[in-house]
Amino acid sequence: MAAPYDSSPPASPLPDATSDRDLKHLQTALSHSEAFYHSLVESLPQNILRKDLQGRFTFVNTRFCQTVGRPREAIIGRTDFDLYPAPLAAQYQSDDEEVIRTGQPRETVEQHQGQQGASFVQVIKTPLRDGAGRIIGTQGIFWDVTERRKVEDELQREKALLRALLDTVPDSIYFKDPDSRFLRASTA
């Protein structure tokens, strides 16, 4: 004999929060989750941000506020053009549009204009998706790499200088490793 038809709605994946105790439990779980998230984004030494599809800031952490020298209230709802010189803002907007168009993360080193002046920052931008997987904006994280960039640039200058010296000196000059293998030599 067939089981009687059950007309009740399917079970919810969430607990039935009809009692005060259940509501209190859900509120506590939500509060813990929010505290964990807040602790994470506020304790990392990176600048963290989110923007909507129009490029308006929807979230920034305290480090970001310090970097741009403005309070959160003066950033949320604004665009890069409200915070940065036009050429930088245009570049940032172009990067965001690429992430939205491709749906792929973007990582690069960019010039940045912050409270302390011009610098270079390592940037990672990713699409921000809603619960259904639709792209609803971008999110990013960046940190200062100016000192690293200066060291890399100096190393490149030194290498170029050495190459020019080895290419123009009239004497034979060479460098060997500990096993007597030639590493570099002049052209003379």
Side-chain angles (χ1 to χ4, degrees):
M1 176 175 190
Y5 176 73
D6 183 2
S7 64
S8 62
S12 169
L14 295 174
D16 183 11
T18 55
S19 74
D20 286 340
R21 189 175 60 84
D22 290 339
L23 283 174
K24 180 79 168 160
H25 176 71
L26 288 175
Q27 289 171 336
T28 301
L30 178 60
S31 177
H32 283 110
S33 177
E34 288 175 345
F36 174 78
Y37 176 78
H38 181 77
S39 172
L40 181 65
V41 299
E42 291 300 335
S43 64
L44 289 172
Q46 284 83 14
N47 297 270
I48 301 173
L49 61 103
R50 284 184 165 180
K51 298 178 193 171
D52 64 18
L53 290 172
Q54 289 72 44
R56 294 182 302 244
F57 289 94
T58 60
F59 171 83
V60 294
N61 69 349
T62 301
R63 167 101 33 184
F64 183 91
C65 296
Q66 292 166 346
T67 298
V68 299
R70 296 187 186 191
R72 185 173 280 112
E73 301 77 33
I75 299 170
I76 300 300
R78 305 267 199 254
T79 70
D80 290 318
F81 287 95
D82 298 313
L83 303 177
Y84 302 110
L88 288 179
Q91 179 62 51
Y92 298 162
Q93 186 178 54
S94 175
D95 294 346
D96 292 345
E97 290 167 356
E98 177 186 333
V99 169
I100 291 167
R101 186 181 76 257
T102 66
Q104 297 297 312
R106 175 177 167 71
E107 183 171 356
T108 188
V109 173
E110 296 178 339
Q111 186 175 5
H112 179 73
Q113 185 68 40
Q115 187 72 357
Q116 311 303 327
S119 62
F120 289 93
V121 293
Q122 181 82 35
V123 180
I124 300 172
K125 291 184 178 182
T126 65
L128 177 60
R129 298 179 186 272
D130 66 11
R134 293 180 300 258
I135 295 174
I136 59 170
T138 59
Q139 56 190 355
I141 184 169
F142 67 91
W143 58 96
D144 191 299
V145 293
T146 305
E147 287 306 312
R148 184 182 83 191
R149 178 72 179 253
K150 285 178 183 177
V151 169
E152 289 170 351
D153 289 349
E154 182 62 28
L155 179 60
Q156 289 305 316
R157 279 191 294 280
E158 293 293 328
K159 286 174 115 178
L161 182 60
L162 178 60
R163 181 77 283 169
L165 177 66
L166 291 174
D167 288 346
T168 59
V169 69
D171 298 320
S172 293
I173 299 175
Y174 57 86
F175 300 94
K176 289 185 173 185
D177 68 13
D179 295 323
S180 290
R181 291 181 293 217
F182 284 96
L183 299 173
R184 288 192 174 191
S186 65
T187 56

